[in-house]
Amino acid sequence: MRVKLAAVICILCLLCGCGSRSDSLKNGMNLRRQLLESSGCSFHGTVTADYGEKIYVFEMDCKADREGSLQFTVTSPDTIAGITGKVDREGGAITFDDKVLAFQTLADGQVTPVTAPWLLIKTLRSGYIRDSVDTDDGFEVSIDDSYQDDALRLNITVKNGVPASGEIFWQGRRVLTIAVEDFVYL
């Protein structure tokens, strides 16, 4: 009789543990579902690239389609404003003065800063949701993905049901951050 009672208690403990993990991931799964059920999204992103020696900051207007391809237009700094481009699973292309320049998503062993908005959308669409924690004004979700055969992790802050910012960790180090404004599902 004691063995059966102990077995029942163990099963109940396991089920309770699984339920709380599912509850913490529900926010991330709902965000993913919204993105996958939409026709895409648009947003304004401010990207900061920190490579240790130098920090680069630029802004872009972004639009992602249903398949996760992302088109962008650089809006700041003024010296590169107006440059447009596209990033998808195959790589990227930048258009400048009516000339198209293809680029790799890795340059000099670093994640290319212009890929930050695409990495945000790609990871939200298909990464492994590790954890989700409620905050006072939304939640934070941690998502793992792979990128060029290396581990990639994004910590994404969500407010009012949409991404507000993201930190991109690659090879164990934060290399990019993105502040997201005016996020709209299409």
Side-chain angles (χ1 to χ4, degrees):
M1 184 67 168
R2 286 185 184 193
V3 174
K4 288 182 181 179
L5 182 61
V8 169
I9 290 173
C10 285
I11 290 171
L12 287 175
C13 287
L14 287 172
L15 290 175
C16 290
C18 291
S20 64
R21 175 122 170 103
S22 295
D23 289 345
S24 75
L25 299 179
K26 189 185 297 185
N27 288 332
M29 294 302 292
N30 286 339
L31 180 63
R32 172 172 290 161
R33 182 181 42 75
Q34 275 186 284
L35 186 59
L36 292 175
E37 290 177 355
S38 72
S39 295
C41 62
S42 66
F43 59 94
H44 181 82
T46 302
V47 177
T48 303
D50 182 355
Y51 294 126
E53 297 171 10
K54 289 189 177 183
I55 295 176
Y56 303 94
V57 179
F58 59 95
E59 297 181 33
M60 57 177 69
D61 290 329
C62 305
K63 183 177 181 181
D65 65 19
R66 178 178 288 274
E67 286 76 36
S69 295
L70 185 126
Q71 294 182 354
F72 64 87
T73 301
V74 176
T75 59
S76 176
D78 290 338
T79 54
I80 60 172
I83 292 175
T84 62
K86 181 178 180 178
V87 183
D88 59 26
R89 291 188 183 277
E90 305 300 316
I94 293 177
T95 304
F96 180 71
D97 285 342
D98 296 326
K99 292 186 173 53
V100 177
L101 172 67
F103 67 90
Q104 297 293 320
T105 52
L106 282 178
D108 297 326
Q110 300 288 341
V111 178
T112 307
V114 76
T115 63
W118 176 74
L119 287 171
L120 176 75
I121 298 303
K122 174 190 178 297
T123 304
L124 281 171
R125 291 173 52 86
S126 62
Y128 171 73
I129 299 174
R130 293 180 52 85
D131 196 12
S132 178
V133 178
D134 290 333
T135 62
D136 290 338
D137 56 353
F139 65 94
E140 293 178 8
V141 61
S142 180
I143 305 175
D144 285 344
D145 206 344
S146 61
Y147 182 67
Q148 301 288 330
D149 298 325
D150 283 312
L152 177 76
R153 172 168 294 160
L154 270 71
N155 293 336
I156 302 165
T157 301
V158 179
K159 296 180 181 177
N160 299 316
V162 298
S165 65
E167 296 179 304
I168 301 171
F169 294 84
W170 187 63
Q171 295 182 335
R173 188 170 79 81
R174 184 181 74 183
V175 292
L176 301 170
T177 60
I178 181 168
V180 178
E181 298 178 72
D182 303 323
F183 188 98
V184 177
Y185 292 105
L186 303 175

